[in-house]
Amino acid sequence: MTDATPLLLKANLKQLKLPTMLAEHDKLAREAADRDEPYDAYLLKLTEVEVAARTANAIAARIRAAGFPVAKEFDTFDFTAVPTVPKQKVLELTRRDWVGQRYNACLIGGSGTGKTHAATAVGLALCRQGVRVKFATAAGLVTDLEAAQQQHRLDRLLAALERIDLLIVDELGYLSFSRGGAELLFQVFADRYERGSVLITSNLPFGEWGTIFQGERMTAALLDRLTHRCHIFEMNGESYRFRESMKSKADKATKPKK
């Protein structure tokens, strides 16, 4: 090894855009020399740290791009509060198979029953498995679609949504839309039929979706596509937020005064 070798190695690693190998190669080389490890073992360790770093960075990038409002995991989800929900079936949504098969999922239930929590936990789990996820409230998505239409960039936005493997649409039914907004949302869902998965949370049963899409014909056409290949979960139970609020008040009432 010449005196120039370390400098040339660093230059090559920079040019090849291998930042973790650049940062770790010297330390791993000393460790390999101390243990008298063969060259291929050293090279394997060096490539492993680069692969691990790139994997972690890619996961972080997918999670950022998904736009989750807060991070929610299933280890903090209270399945006992929604006894009608089959825990194992819900957890199966954290495996990417159903997205690869272009299935959909719907979480239907009252406010505060954990629909957004579950949808977020599913999305995070799938981001870690290489799935491209986008999280949006129904109202936020419609607002974006209407703005894009007014600014003559709707085709670009629709094309970007088509590249998403799983589109999570939260809180469908909480706010009403204009006729034009409802038609744009219908277009997004229709375009994804058997081409990309959708996960929808809604406080309204399917029979009341006509109030969202302002007409039985559009609603029927949507539900026909959406439920063709779909995992449907009814999440009915006491509001988690209400229960936690009552628990907090009870704790304060029983706490001894100083």
Side-chain angles (χ1 to χ4, degrees):
M1 181 183 292
T2 67
D3 292 340
T5 298
L7 294 175
L8 291 172
L9 177 58
K10 288 181 180 180
N12 287 344
L13 291 174
K14 283 182 179 179
Q15 186 172 349
L16 293 169
K17 297 181 180 179
L18 299 169
T20 306
M21 291 177 67
L22 177 61
E24 298 291 333
H25 79 278
D26 194 42
K27 181 188 74 171
L28 291 178
R30 289 195 303 270
E31 291 176 357
D34 292 342
R35 297 170 186 165
D36 198 24
E37 291 180 345
Y39 291 121
D40 57 354
Y42 161 67
L43 184 58
L44 176 61
K45 285 185 180 179
L46 195 57
T47 54
E48 283 176 342
V49 296
E50 183 68 41
V51 168
R54 289 196 176 195
T55 299
N57 291 339
I59 290 172
R62 282 192 295 272
I63 290 174
R64 285 195 303 272
F68 300 108
V70 291
K72 296 281 188 177
E73 306 285 359
F74 274 122
D75 58 1
T76 57
F77 188 89
D78 186 5
F79 280 95
T80 63
V82 278
T84 59
V85 174
K87 178 178 179 179
Q88 195 54 44
K89 291 290 186 182
V90 172
L91 293 180
E92 285 177 4
L93 295 179
T94 63
R95 297 201 292 264
R96 62 177 295 165
D97 302 17
W98 66 282
V99 174
Q101 295 165 2
R102 308 296 190 267
Y103 268 72
N104 300 316
C106 289
L107 309 180
I108 311 295
S111 177
T113 53
K115 301 184 299 298
T116 300
H117 186 152
T120 301
V122 167
L124 283 168
L126 295 177
C127 280
R128 297 184 183 110
Q129 297 171 59
V131 176
R132 292 168 297 184
V133 177
K134 176 65 178 177
F135 183 103
T137 63
L141 180 57
V142 168
T143 297
D144 290 344
L145 289 166
E146 290 178 326
Q149 185 178 53
Q150 292 170 3
Q151 297 164 13
H152 307 290
R153 54 181 180 81
L154 181 60
D155 288 345
R156 270 188 293 160
L157 177 55
L158 292 175
L161 291 173
E162 285 180 7
R163 292 192 290 271
I164 299 298
D165 300 314
L166 173 63
L167 176 62
I168 300 176
V169 180
D170 194 33
E171 299 182 341
L172 182 67
Y174 283 81
L175 296 175
S176 59
F177 313 128
S178 66
R179 177 71 180 183
E183 290 175 350
L184 287 170
L185 187 59
F186 173 84
Q187 182 179 349
V188 170
F189 290 152
D191 287 349
R192 297 187 68 80
Y193 178 55
E194 294 190 330
R195 298 171 63 187
S197 295
V198 177
L199 191 162
I200 296 173
T201 77
S202 178
N203 63 319
L204 297 179
F206 292 138
E208 297 181 26
W209 281 27
T211 61
I212 304 171
F213 293 96
Q214 304 180 24
E216 296 302 320
R217 182 176 297 180
M218 190 188 301
T219 304
L222 170 64
L223 290 176
D224 182 57
R225 292 169 171 82
L226 180 67
T227 62
H228 175 214
R229 293 152 59 88
C230 189
H231 302 288
I232 301 170
F233 299 93
E234 293 187 7
M235 301 184 66
N236 296 311
E238 184 182 36
S239 168
Y240 175 80
R241 289 186 289 270
F242 177 78
R243 189 173 67 255
E244 287 300 298
S245 176
M246 291 299 99
K247 181 176 179 294
S248 177
K249 290 179 181 179
D251 290 343
K252 289 179 180 178
T254 57
K255 186 176 181 180
K257 296 181 179 180
K258 294 183 179 179

